[in-house]
Amino acid sequence: MHRGVRFAVLGAYAVLFAATAWAWVAAPSGATFAVHWGLNGAANRVAGREALLVAPGVAALVGALVAVAVRFDPHRANLMGNGRVPGLAIGVLTVATTLLLIGVQAAIAATGFGYDVRLDRAAPIGIGLLFAALGSVLPQVH
């Protein structure tokens, strides 16, 4: 993977994990965090501080699955070598997914600090941006 792509991936993970650590420490005692939102965008299920571990856990799982899939893919050279920047498609996939999870983590953390977060408009925009990022690099994968 190209050094710049690797830096972007690690930077996105660092932001997610640093924000999680900050929210864990800075959250008020006894705070509850939204973990589920209904179709109307309002939070309808809450949990304690452990809710802050969901997004980093998903990011770590996605990163591990991508690494394993790339490692054992018989066409790995196609994934890692096409285009001017080696590994760009995998890097964009990982960074875009992590950025979406940073947004999710921000929404979860904000509810613990007393903000009323509604995801009825933000979630479709985030997922749309994820698909746009994927669509921009998938044609490079042959």
Side-chain angles (χ1 to χ4, degrees):
M1 187 180 294
H2 187 270
R3 188 175 53 209
V5 174
R6 184 174 289 125
F7 180 75
V9 169
L10 294 176
Y13 281 138
V15 168
L16 177 62
F17 288 103
T20 300
W22 174 82
W24 186 279
V25 171
S29 177
T32 58
F33 299 87
V35 293
H36 189 271
W37 285 263
L39 290 176
N40 63 354
N44 59 12
R45 195 167 306 141
V46 296
R49 281 187 202 270
E50 66 275 3
L52 292 171
L53 301 177
V54 173
V58 170
L61 181 65
V62 167
L65 288 174
V66 168
V68 167
V70 168
R71 171 70 178 94
F72 292 108
D73 184 6
H75 302 291
R76 179 175 188 222
N78 291 344
L79 289 174
M80 301 309 288
N82 286 334
R84 293 189 332 226
V85 181
L88 180 64
I90 298 301
V92 168
L93 164 73
T94 307
V95 170
T97 304
T98 306
L99 290 176
L100 179 65
L101 288 170
I102 289 170
V104 170
Q105 184 72 336
I108 291 170
T111 62
F113 288 95
Y115 294 99
D116 182 28
V117 178
R118 297 184 51 87
L119 291 182
D120 50 347
R121 290 197 174 99
I125 291 170
I127 292 172
L129 291 172
L130 174 65
F131 285 144
L134 294 177
S136 72
V137 295
L138 283 182
Q140 297 176 17
V141 178
H142 300 284

